[in-house]
Amino acid sequence: MIKIRNFLSKFYLDFLCFFLLLLLSPLYFFNLDNLSLVSWDEAWYGAIARNISEGGDPLVLWWNGNVYADHPPAGFWVIALFQSVFGINEFGTRVGSAVFGMAGLFLTYLLGKELFSKTVGLISALALSSTYWYIYRARSGNLDIFLTVFFIATFYFAFKSLKNAKFLVPFAVSFGLLLLTKSVIPLTIIPSLLIIFFGSKLKFQDTKKAVFIFLLVTIPWFAALRLQAPNSLSKYFLIGAPGVGSEQDYLKNFNQIKEYLHFGVGKWFWPGVIGVVGGLVSFNRGLLAMSVFCISFFVPFVLSEKGQIWHLIPLYPFLTLGFFGFSENSGKIVIKKLFKRYEKVFTALLIAGLAGFSIYFSWMQIKR
């Protein structure tokens, strides 16, 4: 009986997170095939994935008899996999995004648990589930949710690798798939990875297998595209940064992309900004890495007028995690200095307050 009680006390938040996913699942799967595929991208990507699921080349993508090189193939592999299971139809094209959307919530919980606490992970996942464009795009046959999930997974396995080198292999797989999901924008994670691994005790011997796996994941596509359509490889850098380098009104771009971000996350915009600023001045490696990522991801869209609202979805989990992680960390520091005698009581009140805040804002947005 004692063992069962200890097990439940240790993993009750894990079970609560799983239960939360079950409660939220209708947001992602209900009437998923109710509407026809939307032109252009959703129907376009579904047709490209269909070529793979029907036995086409999984490395060099084709559409309408021509090589498609606007994006790498990883997202299309996922769509094709689910098309093979559920059929080449609206549901089969979209359900991969829905499954990944749910996985993104759980990975947000795991990352919050790894960096801060289970509570931060849980309430951050709840907050993410209420962001409008995360839900909307998780019900769409596009690439944005795949990209977002691979960003979260890469962060998570990078931090896990600092404690245990065996996680370098899943890190290498996740990072490789991240680079193969969309053009150039995945490279914005590199400054954060440098922060994460700076001063780590990992040895060269630990990294050899991970490097081999990373190359095994990434090189075949680059090599196949180079052989099949040599002139198309440059699109990896050009498609992902349209308009960068040309004459721009940077203030106009900034205001536009800020409004897109605000509309996409709803009420979590200003809390997210607080988390980003707080992470930059904190001494917490996790907060700093997430804040730097938010900035390095955001800046390229200031340099171009071509940014769209869905491009910013990968920021959403890091905005919610940054806010709740910074709030918990800074709150505990204040409590330890000012209320040390009643530290446990005030810490419990802090956690309850953050949880209530997340539930209130999330419920308001989910209702909409």
Side-chain angles (χ1 to χ4, degrees):
M1 193 69 181
I2 294 176
K3 288 183 178 180
I4 295 175
R5 191 183 305 146
N6 290 339
F7 178 82
L8 291 175
S9 65
K10 186 176 182 180
F11 295 105
Y12 79 96
L13 279 179
D14 298 319
F15 291 123
L16 188 58
C17 184
F18 182 74
F19 181 67
L20 173 67
L21 293 180
L22 291 178
L23 287 177
L24 294 172
S25 60
L27 291 172
Y28 296 86
F29 295 102
F30 180 70
N31 274 348
L32 198 58
D33 57 351
N34 195 40
L35 298 173
S36 299
L37 299 179
V38 179
S39 297
W40 283 93
D41 287 357
E42 192 180 26
W44 194 9
Y45 294 169
I48 294 168
R50 179 185 61 192
N51 294 334
I52 300 174
S53 61
E54 291 181 341
D57 191 338
L59 291 177
V60 179
L61 305 176
W62 292 83
W63 184 75
N64 205 22
N66 298 307
V67 172
Y68 175 86
D70 287 10
H71 295 298
F76 300 97
W77 293 341
V78 178
I79 297 173
L81 173 64
F82 283 94
Q83 283 182 340
S84 299
V85 175
F86 296 101
I88 301 171
N89 49 45
E90 284 80 1
F91 186 85
T93 301
R94 292 173 176 147
V95 69
S97 291
V99 170
F100 266 65
M102 299 286 286
L105 301 183
F106 191 67
L107 280 169
T108 298
Y109 166 70
L110 291 179
L111 182 57
K113 173 183 171 182
E114 178 68 23
L115 296 181
F116 311 109
S117 68
K118 289 182 178 182
T119 303
V120 167
L122 182 62
I123 60 181
S124 297
L126 176 61
L128 175 62
S129 73
S130 72
T131 55
Y132 303 129
W133 269 77
Y134 184 86
I135 297 175
Y136 178 68
R137 218 57 171 178
R139 296 176 54 84
S140 169
N142 280 282
L143 307 178
D144 309 290
I145 295 300
F146 306 142
L147 181 71
T148 302
V149 170
F150 287 132
F151 268 124
I152 305 170
T154 302
F155 262 88
Y156 174 67
F157 288 121
F159 278 106
K160 293 292 286 186
S161 300
L162 295 179
K163 299 177 181 178
N164 191 331
K166 72 178 183 181
F167 286 99
L168 283 172
V169 170
F171 164 74
V173 173
S174 178
F175 187 32
L177 291 173
L178 173 64
L179 297 182
L180 291 186
T181 302
K182 269 202 169 184
S183 304
V184 84
I185 200 67
L187 298 177
T188 56
I189 199 176
I190 290 177
S192 295
L193 293 181
L194 294 176
I195 291 172
I196 293 170
F197 287 111
F198 178 77
S200 72
K201 297 180 180 179
L202 293 170
K203 300 177 181 178
F204 176 73
Q205 191 70 22
D206 299 325
T207 64
K208 287 196 298 185
K209 185 177 180 180
V211 170
F212 174 77
I213 295 294
F214 173 77
L215 295 176
L216 193 64
V217 171
T218 56
I219 292 300
W221 175 72
F222 285 100
L225 189 63
R226 181 75 176 87
L227 292 172
Q228 185 71 43
N231 297 328
S232 298
L233 195 57
S234 60
K235 284 190 174 183
Y236 184 85
F237 299 95
L238 298 178
I239 292 292
V244 173
S246 60
E247 187 174 340
Q248 297 285 334
D249 184 338
Y250 299 123
L251 181 59
K252 180 181 177 182
N253 294 345
F254 174 84
N255 287 328
Q256 173 179 273
I257 209 69
K258 176 179 72 70
E259 288 304 311
Y260 283 162
L261 182 59
H262 200 162
F263 184 80
V265 296
K267 291 182 176 296
W268 296 113
F269 176 77
W270 287 114
V273 171
I274 292 172
V276 171
V277 175
L280 292 175
V281 299
S282 73
F283 295 97
N284 182 286
R285 188 188 295 255
L287 285 171
L288 178 60
M290 289 193 295
S291 294
V292 168
F293 169 70
C294 289
I295 294 170
S296 64
F297 189 95
F298 186 87
V299 165
F301 295 102
V302 178
L303 305 178
S304 170
E305 62 185 11
K306 303 290 186 179
Q308 300 293 336
I309 191 169
W310 55 83
H311 291 155
L312 302 174
I313 293 174
L315 289 177
Y316 297 1
F318 301 100
L319 291 177
T320 60
L321 279 167
F323 170 69
F324 287 112
F326 174 71
S327 298
E328 184 189 67
N329 269 19
S330 56
K332 285 182 175 179
I333 291 172
V334 171
I335 289 170
K336 197 166 186 177
K337 287 185 176 180
L338 301 181
F339 308 104
K340 193 170 184 179
R341 187 175 177 183
Y342 304 101
E343 185 175 346
K344 289 185 178 180
V345 174
F346 279 97
T347 300
L349 290 174
L350 170 68
I351 298 301
L354 292 175
F357 183 69
S358 178
I359 292 169
Y360 177 67
F361 268 30
S362 298
W363 175 242
M364 289 178 64
Q365 299 207 153
I366 288 173
K367 279 199 304 182
R368 292 186 61 184

